Amino acid sequence: MKQRTRQALWATRVAGALVLAVVCVVPPAALADGPALCLFRRLFGIECFGCGMTRAISAALDGDLARAMETNRMVAAVLPGLLVWIAAPARLWTVLTAKARQFESPALRRHRV
């Protein structure tokens, strides 16, 4: 894996961890009273599939799973996926991409930089 790709991967993990840390600190009630940040909702006046995800993650991390599921049901898949993404070591990513390369055609391997 290239050094630049590895750095980008770690940067996104650190950013995700920081966002989760902020969401853990801010109480769910404060997020519910704040303005809507969704551009889709502001433009069209209806909620998108991701609307309420920040409030749902905050409620789930606060221990209120019922409110989290009420706010956005996708939190049941997104939060565990986000936690795995942040916690998964870069080595796992390297192993998975190496295994995927085994199934590439020889023509693609020759042109890989």
Side-chain angles (χ1 to χ4, degrees):
M1 182 183 300
K2 292 183 180 180
Q3 182 68 20
R4 181 176 249 173
T5 305
R6 190 173 295 135
Q7 289 173 346
L9 185 64
W10 280 106
T12 57
R13 285 196 176 120
V14 169
L18 289 174
V19 168
L20 275 181
V22 168
V23 170
C24 285
V25 172
V26 176
L31 291 173
D33 296 335
L37 301 176
C38 178
L39 182 63
F40 188 86
R41 184 174 173 188
R42 285 180 176 231
L43 289 175
F44 301 112
I46 56 175
E47 291 186 350
C48 70
F49 291 115
C51 277
M53 187 57 70
T54 305
R55 293 188 305 266
I57 289 174
S58 176
L61 293 176
D62 198 42
D64 191 356
L65 297 178
R67 184 172 28 168
M69 292 298 287
E70 180 182 311
T71 305
N72 192 329
R73 292 186 188 270
M74 288 192 317
V75 73
V78 172
L79 183 59
L82 183 61
L83 293 174
V84 167
W85 170 252
I86 291 170
R91 181 73 182 142
L92 176 63
W93 180 258
T94 305
V95 169
L96 291 176
T97 54
K99 293 236 182 240
R101 285 188 194 138
Q102 291 176 353
F103 300 106
E104 286 182 347
S105 69
L108 284 175
R109 284 188 213 146
R110 282 189 294 243
H111 296 290
R112 184 176 291 277
V113 176

